[in-house]
Amino acid sequence: MVMISHKLMSLILIIIGGTFFRRVSSSETCNGICGRLTLPYPFGFSPACPIRFHCSEVDQAAKIGGFSVQNVTENSILVGLPHNCSRKIEDMTPLFASQNFAPTENSFLMDKCMYKTNGCSINQGFLENTLKLQSCGSAGNISCFSLYTNSKFFSMKDLRNSSCSLLFSSIAFGSVGVNAGVALEFERVQLGWWLKGDCKNKPCAENANCTQVDTPDGNAGHRCSCIEGYHGDGYINPCLRLKVRG
């Protein structure tokens, strides 16, 4: 993982490439192991896993479609989207699945656009130096596409309606704390995820909180997480109290 600091409006953290999975033991019913990689439940590679990825035999990596999953957290999936001079918008379809979505904290770098897109106010020279846009011979044509609506989610329809025919790469936005600025993670898409159903039926394990999740289709969704001071997946395994050694 390469970390570069750059001052743009405020402190910005830029992260390019890299993989940083938590190694947590998989459950007995959901196979979370792909080579030397182990994913926490509810992620995994077998039909019993609520969030199922493809295990690539070539590089022993987790994949959604042809895109590498670089990290999973309690509320997001980070997917690599290396710049590609000829990537068609329809190639993005696997990232807009039934249990994951791209929130509007992402921006997409588009190419071959008929009309000007809604930009994300990032200096073109900065993008050229960061992503080496000149490698495509089209540095002046890359256009930044963001959503400025009440919607919380991107959709494939939004990308198709951008008037662009190619999707060069993406930028995932996130906060690095109060007064610390914004994190820009280039060549990545941050996906939200959920399990189906609401919290009324108490779907989480003992000592875990249930959080309702807004979903693009309006159906009920939830996520589980251990309460403070406890550790576990919060779903099928109980959250156990962390022992503090004196």
Side-chain angles (χ1 to χ4, degrees):
M1 180 172 67
V2 179
M3 301 183 68
I4 308 168
S5 63
H6 184 87
K7 190 174 182 181
L8 179 65
M9 299 298 288
S10 58
L11 176 66
I12 292 179
L13 174 65
I14 304 167
I15 306 174
I16 305 176
T19 301
F20 45 101
F21 281 107
R22 292 177 297 156
R23 292 187 174 273
V24 181
S25 61
S26 61
S27 76
E28 295 181 355
T29 56
C30 168
N31 176 25
I33 299 175
C34 177
R36 292 177 293 177
L37 171 68
T38 302
L39 297 183
Y41 189 88
F43 304 98
F45 305 98
S46 64
C49 302
I51 306 291
R52 187 181 182 185
F53 300 141
H54 170 67
C55 176
S56 172
E57 296 181 358
V58 176
D59 51 7
Q60 296 184 346
K63 300 257 179 117
I64 299 178
F67 303 102
S68 294
V69 177
Q70 297 184 334
N71 194 27
V72 295
T73 71
E74 290 182 351
N75 52 29
S76 65
I77 304 169
L78 206 59
V79 178
L81 194 71
H83 67 270
N84 186 321
C85 303
S86 58
R87 179 187 291 115
K88 296 180 180 180
I89 288 178
E90 295 304 318
D91 294 344
M92 299 291 291
T93 302
L95 300 183
F96 297 85
S98 60
Q99 286 180 256
N100 53 260
F101 60 88
T104 51
E105 283 80 6
N106 296 284
S107 288
F108 293 97
L109 300 178
M110 317 295 287
D111 199 1
K112 305 299 181 185
C113 303
M114 295 177 60
Y115 308 105
K116 185 177 180 180
T117 63
N118 295 322
C120 43
S121 302
I122 295 179
N123 183 274
Q124 183 72 24
F126 179 71
L127 287 176
E128 290 178 19
N129 292 330
T130 304
L131 297 179
K132 312 297 185 196
L133 302 188
Q134 59 269 26
S135 64
C136 292
S138 60
N141 297 326
I142 300 297
S143 182
C144 193
F145 180 55
S146 299
L147 283 185
Y148 297 105
T149 67
N150 292 328
S151 175
K152 297 180 180 179
F153 320 108
F154 270 101
S155 67
M156 281 300 298
K157 181 179 179 181
D158 293 320
L159 296 181
R160 295 185 187 107
N161 289 345
S162 67
S163 82
C164 308
S165 58
L166 300 178
L167 197 147
F168 179 78
S169 187
S170 61
I171 307 171
F173 291 76
S175 173
V176 291
V178 179
N179 300 322
V182 177
L184 300 184
E185 302 189 67
F186 286 88
E187 301 189 282
R188 285 179 173 169
V189 177
Q190 179 178 305
L191 303 177
W193 64 270
W194 66 91
L195 297 191
K196 296 178 180 179
D198 55 32
C199 294
K200 295 179 180 178
N201 294 324
K202 299 181 178 181
C204 301
E206 186 178 357
N207 298 318
N209 290 323
C210 183
T211 302
Q212 294 281 144
V213 179
D214 293 329
T215 67
D217 59 13
N219 292 325
H222 73 276
R223 289 192 292 260
C224 302
S225 60
C226 294
I227 61 177
E228 187 175 355
Y230 288 77
H231 180 75
D233 63 47
Y235 293 90
I236 60 174
N237 297 314
C239 296
L240 303 178
R241 183 180 292 276
L242 295 174
K243 294 182 179 179
V244 179
R245 295 182 179 179

PDB file of all heavy atoms in Angstrom, residues 41-73:
ATOM      1  N   TYR A  41     -17.070 -13.673   8.539  1.00  0.00           N
ATOM      2  CA  TYR A  41     -18.489 -13.829   8.246  1.00  0.00           C
ATOM      3  C   TYR A  41     -19.148 -12.447   8.368  1.00  0.00           C
ATOM      4  O   TYR A  41     -18.768 -11.659   9.233  1.00  0.00           O
ATOM      5  CB  TYR A  41     -19.108 -14.810   9.254  1.00  0.00           C
ATOM      6  CG  TYR A  41     -20.511 -15.230   8.933  1.00  0.00           C
ATOM      7  CD1 TYR A  41     -20.747 -16.328   8.120  1.00  0.00           C
ATOM      8  CD2 TYR A  41     -21.593 -14.515   9.433  1.00  0.00           C
ATOM      9  CE1 TYR A  41     -22.049 -16.716   7.817  1.00  0.00           C
ATOM     10  CE2 TYR A  41     -22.882 -14.891   9.134  1.00  0.00           C
ATOM     11  CZ  TYR A  41     -23.109 -15.984   8.318  1.00  0.00           C
ATOM     12  OH  TYR A  41     -24.386 -16.360   8.013  1.00  0.00           O
ATOM     13  N   PRO A  42     -20.075 -12.074   7.466  1.00  0.00           N
ATOM     14  CA  PRO A  42     -20.825 -12.906   6.513  1.00  0.00           C
ATOM     15  C   PRO A  42     -20.223 -13.005   5.111  1.00  0.00           C
ATOM     16  O   PRO A  42     -20.905 -13.360   4.170  1.00  0.00           O
ATOM     17  CB  PRO A  42     -22.165 -12.172   6.457  1.00  0.00           C
ATOM     18  CG  PRO A  42     -21.796 -10.730   6.587  1.00  0.00           C
ATOM     19  CD  PRO A  42     -20.654 -10.705   7.563  1.00  0.00           C
ATOM     20  N   PHE A  43     -18.942 -12.672   4.952  1.00  0.00           N
ATOM     21  CA  PHE A  43     -18.301 -12.745   3.646  1.00  0.00           C
ATOM     22  C   PHE A  43     -17.671 -14.121   3.457  1.00  0.00           C
ATOM     23  O   PHE A  43     -17.220 -14.749   4.412  1.00  0.00           O
ATOM     24  CB  PHE A  43     -17.223 -11.669   3.533  1.00  0.00           C
ATOM     25  CG  PHE A  43     -17.732 -10.282   3.774  1.00  0.00           C
ATOM     26  CD1 PHE A  43     -17.587  -9.677   5.015  1.00  0.00           C
ATOM     27  CD2 PHE A  43     -18.366  -9.579   2.770  1.00  0.00           C
ATOM     28  CE1 PHE A  43     -18.058  -8.399   5.253  1.00  0.00           C
ATOM     29  CE2 PHE A  43     -18.844  -8.302   2.998  1.00  0.00           C
ATOM     30  CZ  PHE A  43     -18.698  -7.705   4.242  1.00  0.00           C
ATOM     31  N   GLY A  44     -17.612 -14.564   2.217  1.00  0.00           N
ATOM     32  CA  GLY A  44     -16.985 -15.848   1.955  1.00  0.00           C
ATOM     33  C   GLY A  44     -17.143 -16.256   0.507  1.00  0.00           C
ATOM     34  O   GLY A  44     -17.483 -15.443  -0.362  1.00  0.00           O
ATOM     35  N   PHE A  45     -16.903 -17.549   0.249  1.00  0.00           N
ATOM     36  CA  PHE A  45     -16.807 -18.031  -1.130  1.00  0.00           C
ATOM     37  C   PHE A  45     -17.724 -19.213  -1.437  1.00  0.00           C
ATOM     38  O   PHE A  45     -17.704 -19.727  -2.552  1.00  0.00           O
ATOM     39  CB  PHE A  45     -15.348 -18.423  -1.407  1.00  0.00           C
ATOM     40  CG  PHE A  45     -14.371 -17.322  -1.125  1.00  0.00           C
ATOM     41  CD1 PHE A  45     -13.683 -17.284   0.086  1.00  0.00           C
ATOM     42  CD2 PHE A  45     -14.164 -16.302  -2.039  1.00  0.00           C
ATOM     43  CE1 PHE A  45     -12.788 -16.264   0.362  1.00  0.00           C
ATOM     44  CE2 PHE A  45     -13.279 -15.272  -1.774  1.00  0.00           C
ATOM     45  CZ  PHE A  45     -12.589 -15.241  -0.566  1.00  0.00           C
ATOM     46  N   SER A  46     -18.495 -19.662  -0.465  1.00  0.00           N
ATOM     47  CA  SER A  46     -19.380 -20.810  -0.686  1.00  0.00           C
ATOM     48  C   SER A  46     -20.841 -20.349  -0.705  1.00  0.00           C
ATOM     49  O   SER A  46     -21.157 -19.241  -0.268  1.00  0.00           O
ATOM     50  CB  SER A  46     -19.172 -21.853   0.416  1.00  0.00           C
ATOM     51  OG  SER A  46     -19.551 -21.323   1.676  1.00  0.00           O
ATOM     52  N   PRO A  47     -21.756 -21.195  -1.200  1.00  0.00           N
ATOM     53  CA  PRO A  47     -23.166 -20.807  -1.284  1.00  0.00           C
ATOM     54  C   PRO A  47     -23.783 -20.430   0.066  1.00  0.00           C
ATOM     55  O   PRO A  47     -24.769 -19.686   0.100  1.00  0.00           O
ATOM     56  CB  PRO A  47     -23.829 -22.052  -1.869  1.00  0.00           C
ATOM     57  CG  PRO A  47     -22.748 -22.725  -2.649  1.00  0.00           C
ATOM     58  CD  PRO A  47     -21.498 -22.491  -1.858  1.00  0.00           C
ATOM     59  N   ALA A  48     -23.230 -20.916   1.171  1.00  0.00           N
ATOM     60  CA  ALA A  48     -23.801 -20.625   2.489  1.00  0.00           C
ATOM     61  C   ALA A  48     -23.435 -19.227   2.996  1.00  0.00           C
ATOM     62  O   ALA A  48     -23.955 -18.793   4.020  1.00  0.00           O
ATOM     63  CB  ALA A  48     -23.336 -21.667   3.500  1.00  0.00           C
ATOM     64  N   CYS A  49     -22.551 -18.543   2.303  1.00  0.00           N
ATOM     65  CA  CYS A  49     -22.131 -17.202   2.735  1.00  0.00           C
ATOM     66  C   CYS A  49     -23.137 -16.160   2.270  1.00  0.00           C
ATOM     67  O   CYS A  49     -23.459 -16.088   1.074  1.00  0.00           O
ATOM     68  CB  CYS A  49     -20.758 -16.868   2.175  1.00  0.00           C
ATOM     69  SG  CYS A  49     -19.462 -18.027   2.646  1.00  0.00           S
ATOM     70  N   PRO A  50     -23.671 -15.325   3.185  1.00  0.00           N
ATOM     71  CA  PRO A  50     -24.634 -14.292   2.794  1.00  0.00           C
ATOM     72  C   PRO A  50     -24.090 -13.307   1.759  1.00  0.00           C
ATOM     73  O   PRO A  50     -24.804 -12.877   0.858  1.00  0.00           O
ATOM     74  CB  PRO A  50     -24.949 -13.587   4.121  1.00  0.00           C
ATOM     75  CG  PRO A  50     -24.689 -14.624   5.168  1.00  0.00           C
ATOM     76  CD  PRO A  50     -23.510 -15.394   4.659  1.00  0.00           C
ATOM     77  N   ILE A  51     -22.812 -12.938   1.897  1.00  0.00           N
ATOM     78  CA  ILE A  51     -22.169 -12.080   0.900  1.00  0.00           C
ATOM     79  C   ILE A  51     -21.078 -12.926   0.251  1.00  0.00           C
ATOM     80  O   ILE A  51     -20.031 -13.194   0.841  1.00  0.00           O
ATOM     81  CB  ILE A  51     -21.544 -10.821   1.535  1.00  0.00           C
ATOM     82  CG1 ILE A  51     -22.580 -10.058   2.366  1.00  0.00           C
ATOM     83  CG2 ILE A  51     -20.955  -9.927   0.451  1.00  0.00           C
ATOM     84  CD1 ILE A  51     -23.675  -9.406   1.570  1.00  0.00           C
ATOM     85  N   ARG A  52     -21.334 -13.353  -0.978  1.00  0.00           N
ATOM     86  CA  ARG A  52     -20.442 -14.309  -1.612  1.00  0.00           C
ATOM     87  C   ARG A  52     -19.562 -13.647  -2.668  1.00  0.00           C
ATOM     88  O   ARG A  52     -20.040 -12.923  -3.534  1.00  0.00           O
ATOM     89  CB  ARG A  52     -21.254 -15.439  -2.263  1.00  0.00           C
ATOM     90  CG  ARG A  52     -20.396 -16.572  -2.805  1.00  0.00           C
ATOM     91  CD  ARG A  52     -21.257 -17.642  -3.443  1.00  0.00           C
ATOM     92  NE  ARG A  52     -20.466 -18.754  -3.933  1.00  0.00           N
ATOM     93  CZ  ARG A  52     -20.954 -19.783  -4.622  1.00  0.00           C
ATOM     94  NH1 ARG A  52     -22.263 -19.838  -4.878  1.00  0.00           N
ATOM     95  NH2 ARG A  52     -20.163 -20.750  -5.040  1.00  0.00           N
ATOM     96  N   PHE A  53     -18.250 -13.896  -2.575  1.00  0.00           N
ATOM     97  CA  PHE A  53     -17.287 -13.441  -3.554  1.00  0.00           C
ATOM     98  C   PHE A  53     -16.778 -14.632  -4.352  1.00  0.00           C
ATOM     99  O   PHE A  53     -16.990 -15.785  -3.978  1.00  0.00           O
ATOM    100  CB  PHE A  53     -16.092 -12.742  -2.880  1.00  0.00           C
ATOM    101  CG  PHE A  53     -16.450 -11.531  -2.073  1.00  0.00           C
ATOM    102  CD1 PHE A  53     -15.815 -11.284  -0.861  1.00  0.00           C
ATOM    103  CD2 PHE A  53     -17.398 -10.629  -2.513  1.00  0.00           C
ATOM    104  CE1 PHE A  53     -16.128 -10.167  -0.102  1.00  0.00           C
ATOM    105  CE2 PHE A  53     -17.720  -9.505  -1.767  1.00  0.00           C
ATOM    106  CZ  PHE A  53     -17.087  -9.270  -0.564  1.00  0.00           C
ATOM    107  N   HIS A  54     -16.067 -14.321  -5.436  1.00  0.00           N
ATOM    108  CA  HIS A  54     -15.417 -15.368  -6.225  1.00  0.00           C
ATOM    109  C   HIS A  54     -13.971 -15.501  -5.752  1.00  0.00           C
ATOM    110  O   HIS A  54     -13.282 -14.495  -5.539  1.00  0.00           O
ATOM    111  CB  HIS A  54     -15.436 -15.013  -7.711  1.00  0.00           C
ATOM    112  CG  HIS A  54     -14.580 -15.902  -8.562  1.00  0.00           C
ATOM    113  ND1 HIS A  54     -14.855 -17.238  -8.757  1.00  0.00           N
ATOM    114  CD2 HIS A  54     -13.433 -15.644  -9.245  1.00  0.00           C
ATOM    115  CE1 HIS A  54     -13.936 -17.764  -9.536  1.00  0.00           C
ATOM    116  NE2 HIS A  54     -13.053 -16.832  -9.842  1.00  0.00           N
ATOM    117  N   CYS A  55     -13.516 -16.717  -5.553  1.00  0.00           N
ATOM    118  CA  CYS A  55     -12.123 -16.974  -5.173  1.00  0.00           C
ATOM    119  C   CYS A  55     -11.326 -17.216  -6.445  1.00  0.00           C
ATOM    120  O   CYS A  55     -11.541 -18.200  -7.149  1.00  0.00           O
ATOM    121  CB  CYS A  55     -12.042 -18.188  -4.252  1.00  0.00           C
ATOM    122  SG  CYS A  55     -10.344 -18.670  -3.805  1.00  0.00           S
ATOM    123  N   SER A  56     -10.411 -16.299  -6.743  1.00  0.00           N
ATOM    124  CA  SER A  56      -9.594 -16.423  -7.941  1.00  0.00           C
ATOM    125  C   SER A  56      -8.465 -17.414  -7.707  1.00  0.00           C
ATOM    126  O   SER A  56      -7.627 -17.221  -6.824  1.00  0.00           O
ATOM    127  CB  SER A  56      -9.017 -15.055  -8.324  1.00  0.00           C
ATOM    128  OG  SER A  56      -8.085 -15.186  -9.381  1.00  0.00           O
ATOM    129  N   GLU A  57      -8.430 -18.484  -8.482  1.00  0.00           N
ATOM    130  CA  GLU A  57      -7.373 -19.480  -8.342  1.00  0.00           C
ATOM    131  C   GLU A  57      -6.035 -18.954  -8.844  1.00  0.00           C
ATOM    132  O   GLU A  57      -4.974 -19.441  -8.435  1.00  0.00           O
ATOM    133  CB  GLU A  57      -7.758 -20.745  -9.111  1.00  0.00           C
ATOM    134  CG  GLU A  57      -8.999 -21.441  -8.573  1.00  0.00           C
ATOM    135  CD  GLU A  57      -9.331 -22.704  -9.341  1.00  0.00           C
ATOM    136  OE1 GLU A  57      -8.603 -22.993 -10.317  1.00  0.00           O
ATOM    137  OE2 GLU A  57     -10.311 -23.391  -8.985  1.00  0.00           O
ATOM    138  N   VAL A  58      -6.073 -17.942  -9.688  1.00  0.00           N
ATOM    139  CA  VAL A  58      -4.837 -17.401 -10.266  1.00  0.00           C
ATOM    140  C   VAL A  58      -4.015 -16.675  -9.217  1.00  0.00           C
ATOM    141  O   VAL A  58      -2.830 -16.935  -9.037  1.00  0.00           O
ATOM    142  CB  VAL A  58      -5.161 -16.462 -11.442  1.00  0.00           C
ATOM    143  CG1 VAL A  58      -3.874 -15.827 -11.981  1.00  0.00           C
ATOM    144  CG2 VAL A  58      -5.888 -17.209 -12.548  1.00  0.00           C
ATOM    145  N   ASP A  59      -4.646 -15.726  -8.496  1.00  0.00           N
ATOM    146  CA  ASP A  59      -3.904 -14.926  -7.519  1.00  0.00           C
ATOM    147  C   ASP A  59      -4.433 -15.082  -6.101  1.00  0.00           C
ATOM    148  O   ASP A  59      -4.032 -14.345  -5.198  1.00  0.00           O
ATOM    149  CB  ASP A  59      -3.915 -13.449  -7.905  1.00  0.00           C
ATOM    150  CG  ASP A  59      -5.319 -12.933  -8.192  1.00  0.00           C
ATOM    151  OD1 ASP A  59      -6.290 -13.691  -7.970  1.00  0.00           O
ATOM    152  OD2 ASP A  59      -5.443 -11.788  -8.630  1.00  0.00           O
ATOM    153  N   GLN A  60      -5.317 -16.072  -5.871  1.00  0.00           N
ATOM    154  CA  GLN A  60      -5.888 -16.334  -4.546  1.00  0.00           C
ATOM    155  C   GLN A  60      -6.441 -15.045  -3.928  1.00  0.00           C
ATOM    156  O   GLN A  60      -6.136 -14.696  -2.787  1.00  0.00           O
ATOM    157  CB  GLN A  60      -4.840 -16.970  -3.628  1.00  0.00           C
ATOM    158  CG  GLN A  60      -4.389 -18.340  -4.095  1.00  0.00           C
ATOM    159  CD  GLN A  60      -3.423 -19.004  -3.130  1.00  0.00           C
ATOM    160  OE1 GLN A  60      -2.874 -18.377  -2.240  1.00  0.00           O
ATOM    161  NE2 GLN A  60      -3.217 -20.302  -3.306  1.00  0.00           N
ATOM    162  N   ALA A  61      -7.259 -14.364  -4.701  1.00  0.00           N
ATOM    163  CA  ALA A  61      -7.849 -13.099  -4.265  1.00  0.00           C
ATOM    164  C   ALA A  61      -9.360 -13.183  -4.350  1.00  0.00           C
ATOM    165  O   ALA A  61      -9.926 -13.972  -5.110  1.00  0.00           O
ATOM    166  CB  ALA A  61      -7.338 -11.948  -5.135  1.00  0.00           C
ATOM    167  N   ALA A  62     -10.019 -12.367  -3.525  1.00  0.00           N
ATOM    168  CA  ALA A  62     -11.475 -12.277  -3.582  1.00  0.00           C
ATOM    169  C   ALA A  62     -11.859 -11.328  -4.700  1.00  0.00           C
ATOM    170  O   ALA A  62     -11.272 -10.254  -4.853  1.00  0.00           O
ATOM    171  CB  ALA A  62     -12.012 -11.773  -2.243  1.00  0.00           C
ATOM    172  N   LYS A  63     -12.884 -11.691  -5.461  1.00  0.00           N
ATOM    173  CA  LYS A  63     -13.290 -10.874  -6.609  1.00  0.00           C
ATOM    174  C   LYS A  63     -14.803 -10.709  -6.637  1.00  0.00           C
ATOM    175  O   LYS A  63     -15.559 -11.599  -6.245  1.00  0.00           O
ATOM    176  CB  LYS A  63     -12.836 -11.535  -7.920  1.00  0.00           C
ATOM    177  CG  LYS A  63     -11.320 -11.719  -8.029  1.00  0.00           C
ATOM    178  CD  LYS A  63     -10.711 -10.692  -8.923  1.00  0.00           C
ATOM    179  CE  LYS A  63      -9.190 -10.877  -9.005  1.00  0.00           C
ATOM    180  NZ  LYS A  63      -8.708 -11.191 -10.328  1.00  0.00           N
ATOM    181  N   ILE A  64     -15.241  -9.542  -7.100  1.00  0.00           N
ATOM    182  CA  ILE A  64     -16.632  -9.307  -7.487  1.00  0.00           C
ATOM    183  C   ILE A  64     -16.597  -9.084  -8.980  1.00  0.00           C
ATOM    184  O   ILE A  64     -16.081  -8.066  -9.459  1.00  0.00           O
ATOM    185  CB  ILE A  64     -17.232  -8.076  -6.784  1.00  0.00           C
ATOM    186  CG1 ILE A  64     -17.231  -8.259  -5.275  1.00  0.00           C
ATOM    187  CG2 ILE A  64     -18.659  -7.829  -7.277  1.00  0.00           C
ATOM    188  CD1 ILE A  64     -17.766  -7.050  -4.517  1.00  0.00           C
ATOM    189  N   GLY A  65     -17.131 -10.021  -9.741  1.00  0.00           N
ATOM    190  CA  GLY A  65     -16.928  -9.961 -11.176  1.00  0.00           C
ATOM    191  C   GLY A  65     -15.438 -10.080 -11.443  1.00  0.00           C
ATOM    192  O   GLY A  65     -14.749 -10.939 -10.921  1.00  0.00           O
ATOM    193  N   GLY A  66     -14.901  -9.145 -12.208  1.00  0.00           N
ATOM    194  CA  GLY A  66     -13.466  -9.143 -12.464  1.00  0.00           C
ATOM    195  C   GLY A  66     -12.701  -8.170 -11.587  1.00  0.00           C
ATOM    196  O   GLY A  66     -11.514  -7.926 -11.819  1.00  0.00           O
ATOM    197  N   PHE A  67     -13.346  -7.614 -10.565  1.00  0.00           N
ATOM    198  CA  PHE A  67     -12.736  -6.589  -9.728  1.00  0.00           C
ATOM    199  C   PHE A  67     -12.263  -7.189  -8.400  1.00  0.00           C
ATOM    200  O   PHE A  67     -12.992  -7.943  -7.750  1.00  0.00           O
ATOM    201  CB  PHE A  67     -13.725  -5.452  -9.462  1.00  0.00           C
ATOM    202  CG  PHE A  67     -14.254  -4.817 -10.709  1.00  0.00           C
ATOM    203  CD1 PHE A  67     -15.528  -5.118 -11.180  1.00  0.00           C
ATOM    204  CD2 PHE A  67     -13.478  -3.923 -11.430  1.00  0.00           C
ATOM    205  CE1 PHE A  67     -16.028  -4.527 -12.330  1.00  0.00           C
ATOM    206  CE2 PHE A  67     -13.964  -3.325 -12.595  1.00  0.00           C
ATOM    207  CZ  PHE A  67     -15.239  -3.629 -13.047  1.00  0.00           C
ATOM    208  N   SER A  68     -11.068  -6.819  -7.964  1.00  0.00           N
ATOM    209  CA  SER A  68     -10.488  -7.357  -6.737  1.00  0.00           C
ATOM    210  C   SER A  68     -11.048  -6.659  -5.510  1.00  0.00           C
ATOM    211  O   SER A  68     -11.079  -5.423  -5.450  1.00  0.00           O
ATOM    212  CB  SER A  68      -8.965  -7.183  -6.753  1.00  0.00           C
ATOM    213  OG  SER A  68      -8.389  -7.977  -7.763  1.00  0.00           O
ATOM    214  N   VAL A  69     -11.481  -7.449  -4.527  1.00  0.00           N
ATOM    215  CA  VAL A  69     -11.923  -6.910  -3.241  1.00  0.00           C
ATOM    216  C   VAL A  69     -10.669  -6.675  -2.406  1.00  0.00           C
ATOM    217  O   VAL A  69      -9.900  -7.603  -2.152  1.00  0.00           O
ATOM    218  CB  VAL A  69     -12.863  -7.902  -2.530  1.00  0.00           C
ATOM    219  CG1 VAL A  69     -13.253  -7.371  -1.155  1.00  0.00           C
ATOM    220  CG2 VAL A  69     -14.100  -8.155  -3.378  1.00  0.00           C
ATOM    221  N   GLN A  70     -10.462  -5.441  -1.967  1.00  0.00           N
ATOM    222  CA  GLN A  70      -9.227  -5.097  -1.254  1.00  0.00           C
ATOM    223  C   GLN A  70      -9.397  -5.055   0.252  1.00  0.00           C
ATOM    224  O   GLN A  70      -8.438  -5.207   0.987  1.00  0.00           O
ATOM    225  CB  GLN A  70      -8.695  -3.761  -1.769  1.00  0.00           C
ATOM    226  CG  GLN A  70      -8.311  -3.814  -3.240  1.00  0.00           C
ATOM    227  CD  GLN A  70      -7.691  -2.535  -3.734  1.00  0.00           C
ATOM    228  OE1 GLN A  70      -7.937  -1.464  -3.193  1.00  0.00           O
ATOM    229  NE2 GLN A  70      -6.894  -2.633  -4.780  1.00  0.00           N
ATOM    230  N   ASN A  71     -10.615  -4.823   0.726  1.00  0.00           N
ATOM    231  CA  ASN A  71     -10.850  -4.833   2.171  1.00  0.00           C
ATOM    232  C   ASN A  71     -12.344  -4.936   2.433  1.00  0.00           C
ATOM    233  O   ASN A  71     -13.163  -4.507   1.611  1.00  0.00           O
ATOM    234  CB  ASN A  71     -10.303  -3.557   2.817  1.00  0.00           C
ATOM    235  CG  ASN A  71     -10.228  -3.671   4.336  1.00  0.00           C
ATOM    236  OD1 ASN A  71     -10.103  -4.766   4.882  1.00  0.00           O
ATOM    237  ND2 ASN A  71     -10.301  -2.550   5.022  1.00  0.00           N
ATOM    238  N   VAL A  72     -12.697  -5.525   3.574  1.00  0.00           N
ATOM    239  CA  VAL A  72     -14.088  -5.537   4.033  1.00  0.00           C
ATOM    240  C   VAL A  72     -14.104  -5.013   5.462  1.00  0.00           C
ATOM    241  O   VAL A  72     -13.207  -5.295   6.252  1.00  0.00           O
ATOM    242  CB  VAL A  72     -14.723  -6.944   3.966  1.00  0.00           C
ATOM    243  CG1 VAL A  72     -14.840  -7.417   2.529  1.00  0.00           C
ATOM    244  CG2 VAL A  72     -13.912  -7.957   4.786  1.00  0.00           C
ATOM    245  N   THR A  73     -15.115  -4.220   5.793  1.00  0.00           N
ATOM    246  CA  THR A  73     -15.268  -3.695   7.142  1.00  0.00           C
ATOM    247  C   THR A  73     -16.702  -3.936   7.591  1.00  0.00           C
ATOM    248  O   THR A  73     -17.496  -4.550   6.868  1.00  0.00           O
ATOM    249  CB  THR A  73     -14.966  -2.187   7.197  1.00  0.00           C
ATOM    250  OG1 THR A  73     -16.019  -1.458   6.533  1.00  0.00           O
ATOM    251  CG2 THR A  73     -13.637  -1.863   6.524  1.00  0.00           C
TER     252      THR A  73
END
